[in-house]
Amino acid sequence: MRKVTLAATQFACSWNEEETLDKAEKIVRDAAAAGANVILLQELFERPYFCKTHKYEYLHLATKMEDNTAVKRFQSVARELHVVLPICFYEDAGNLAFNCVAMIDADGTILGKYRKTHIPDGVPYAEKFYFAPGDTGFRVWDTQFGKIGVGICWDQWFPEAARCMALMGAEILLYPTAIGSEPDLGIDSMPHWRNCMQGHAAANIMPLVASNRVGYEEQDYTNITFYGSSFIAGPDGEIVASADRESETFVTAQFDLDAVASMRREWGVFRDRRPEMYGELLTMGETGKDER
């Protein structure tokens, strides 16, 4: 029996970075005090989501992983509280920059980093201006509290990403996120957002955590109201813990990873896969072949 308690957090961010990091640390400490072993903070939480529009001055916000204030601070916090903390930050990689997660284990060690694979483009999520597509491939880390795969925000809409991490041995899927109102589309994307990830949990038969931010943010000619709704889904896809749309808070849920592994084997979905039949996944869609 390997029991692990997962936490999803959410809070609003400001340009007062010290204040925002203090807020993030308090939520981490509160979640740890509630028994959490793996605590997920939201995407790019050091400051407001700056990718709403194109602003050249924001390109200079990127830092090397070893110099990033949040990464260094939460290494110490992880070590002190004995918790796993994936930290999402804006990475300076010389001529390129990436939307990146540093995976910090419960002893404060950085196990490695993952660079966001799928980069959205279009106001108010104009990320291609700031980030190159990730070149790390999907990553799974053997932490002190289980094997963890992490995708970042837009990655969560792609079942291929979740399945790749599952095939690499992931036992838990984590998705730090920044998503909210869709001013150009005029829709509430929250139910679709959740449904996609619940499908990943169910199809791969493993728990999944999504952490989003809350609050209203305005930049130039656009704005977003981030809708929170951070949640934890179980291995059958059911939501077992959920935050609301506005509160700065956290939620937790506990799983027995050995019991989940048994469930995954018993369902046989990995046994019955036919990878030789999935060649179409290596195309962009219509291949031009006519089999009639």
Side-chain angles (χ1 to χ4, degrees), residues 233-250:
D236 59 359
E238 180 181 2
I239 292 179
V240 297
S242 174
D244 63 22
R245 287 177 174 251
E246 298 178 352
S247 300
E248 296 187 316
T249 188
F250 69 91

Side-chain angles (χ1 to χ4, degrees), residues 142-153:
D142 192 359
T143 76
Q144 294 186 31
F145 294 106
K147 295 179 181 178
I148 298 176
V150 181
I152 303 174
C153 202

